[in-house]
Amino acid sequence: MLYTRDCTSASISPRSCRHDSHCRAVRGIRESAEANNTMVIIKIAAILAFIIAGAQYISPGNWHPFAPNGWSGILTGGSIIFFTYIGFDSVSTAAEEARNPQRDLPIGIIATLVVCTILYIGVAVVLTGVVPWQTVRDDAAPVVNSMKHLTEVTGSPVLHWIRVGVLFGAMMGMISSLLVFSAWTGPLWFSMSRDGLLPKLFSRVHPRFRTPSTATWIAGFVVGVPAGILDIGTLSDLSNIGTLFAFCTRVLGVIILRYKDPHRHRGFRAPGGLIAPILSVFFCVLLMGGLPILTWLRFFGWLLIGLGIYRFL
């Protein structure tokens, strides 16, 4: 589909954001990358503003006890928020778009992991230092609400505008996540269709932009409809367990190929031999174990549906 005038509308809503993201993904990877880079800069600026401003109001007493729920709480928390790391996988799916993937992909994946981990830790440290951790429980926007609390307590107009900036940055973060999803899901399904793992419909390309527009639009509807009618917690748990299972199978594939096809040409080399793949499987299974049993039942249901699709289509 062509990039229509509706996509450039100044109004912002979940539906229009999703529409704009898919239009940009259909238009081309360069346009998607440029739009995403702009939103990421805004998002990082908002995160740094919160860290710098909130660090001045930290109360060390809020950090005691440091891990009130113990290791089980840490495991459960890691399992719940794992979906925030799914974006790193999108770097590898853009390999065909990279000029020098052997050099660029490892740098991109490792650099983004390091930078985002530092930012995540910084936000968590400041947030739990500004307000007691009990107050952020079941809070859909803990960072923005903590800034609102500080603004009301101090009466500072600077904190008020920082809160507005953080809110705007959070909106840009959600939109950029939709854009990244749109940009990498289409090429992924296109590659699977090209290899015979999905119907040929998904390997159609746009006659003008030469992008997998059909797969991109189908992915948008397949994800957008459930997102509008299902609970976000349920969807995030399903996303977590599905991604962790995919990581496990991918790593196990690496181990199997090391033995079954040792002379295959490999574009990437990883140090440590089998240590890293084995540890990856262990930690993925460990995080999957922290998810509710109901999520496991839904996962097996979707797994059977997926196997049926591969078997009969």
Side-chain angles (χ1 to χ4, degrees), residues 239-262:
S239 177
N240 289 333
I241 196 169
T243 305
L244 288 166
F245 180 76
F247 285 176
C248 284
T249 55
R250 192 177 306 174
V251 173
L252 289 174
V254 172
I255 297 175
I256 294 172
L257 284 175
R258 288 280 181 93
Y259 286 100
K260 294 187 66 175
D261 196 359

Side-chain angles (χ1 to χ4, degrees), residues 40-119:
V40 167
I41 291 174
I42 296 174
K43 179 169 58 176
I44 292 178
I47 292 173
L48 293 177
F50 169 75
I51 293 176
I52 295 173
Q56 306 175 41
Y57 300 94
I58 289 178
S59 175
N62 291 329
W63 292 333
H64 299 286
F66 183 73
N69 296 308
W71 284 107
S72 62
I74 295 175
L75 174 61
T76 303
S79 302
I80 292 173
I81 59 94
F82 183 78
F83 72 94
T84 60
Y85 282 87
I86 295 176
F88 299 109
D89 186 48
S90 64
V91 178
S92 62
T93 61
E96 291 185 346
E97 306 291 345
R99 295 179 179 178
N100 187 359
Q102 284 77 15
R103 182 201 66 184
D104 298 340
L105 288 191
I107 294 176
I109 293 173
I110 294 174
T112 51
L113 275 171
V114 171
V115 172
C116 290
T117 299
I118 293 174
L119 293 177

Side-chain angles (χ1 to χ4, degrees), residues 1-9 19 23:
M1 302 183 75
L2 297 178
Y3 191 68
T4 61
R5 182 178 60 183
D6 293 337
C7 300
T8 57
S9 173
H19 187 57
C23 286

